[in-house]
Amino acid sequence: MTQAKNGDTVRINYTGRLVDGTQFDSSGSEPLQFTLGEGQVIPGLETHVEGMEVGTKSTVTVPADAAYGPHRPEAVVTVDRASVPQNIKVDVGTQLQARTREGRAMQVTVVGVDDSSVKLDGNHPLAGKDLVFDVELVEIVQAA
């Protein structure tokens, strides 16, 4: 049987969940297609798929460092409420787009609000979390 290798374009069915069982993502009705070695999916998932054979199913726990990295406290900042336009909803959990000092766009999540300030978290929502994936290699679309 042919094993998936670096450079192959593959299609997988997957379900991603936290270690407590909470599902955060899945391939749904269409398999996810990506090329191994191109960094299109998190490193731990990519490493796991490499070497799988078509039709195989498996479960892997990807540690935070091989997923979205550790939660970085320096990515959490508090800004004056007045610096956020009044027409923008700033409830806890709201995701916003902000600009860095260099002008680069980035996603942030509102993690705290009071009358005078808004606390924003620039970490990926899954940063610092170990992730569990149920994976099935459906097809090797194009071998390298």
Side-chain angles (χ1 to χ4, degrees), residues 62-140:
V62 177
D65 287 346
Y68 294 97
H71 184 272
R72 297 173 301 113
E74 68 275 12
V76 180
V77 297
T78 301
V79 299
D80 288 335
R81 175 66 180 97
S83 68
V84 180
Q86 288 185 351
N87 64 325
I88 294 181
K89 187 177 180 178
V90 288
D91 295 330
V92 171
T94 300
Q95 294 202 338
L96 304 172
Q97 188 171 34
R99 295 237 176 250
T100 64
R101 288 186 179 97
E102 298 80 30
R104 186 176 54 89
M106 68 179 287
Q107 287 290 117
V108 295
T109 303
V110 177
V111 294
V113 178
D114 62 29
D115 291 339
S116 62
S117 65
V118 178
K119 190 173 187 179
L120 303 171
D121 187 345
N123 286 288
H124 186 282
L126 296 173
K129 296 180 174 24
D130 295 340
L131 308 177
V132 179
F133 290 92
D134 297 316
V135 182
E136 175 187 15
L137 179 58
V138 176
E139 179 181 9
I140 297 175

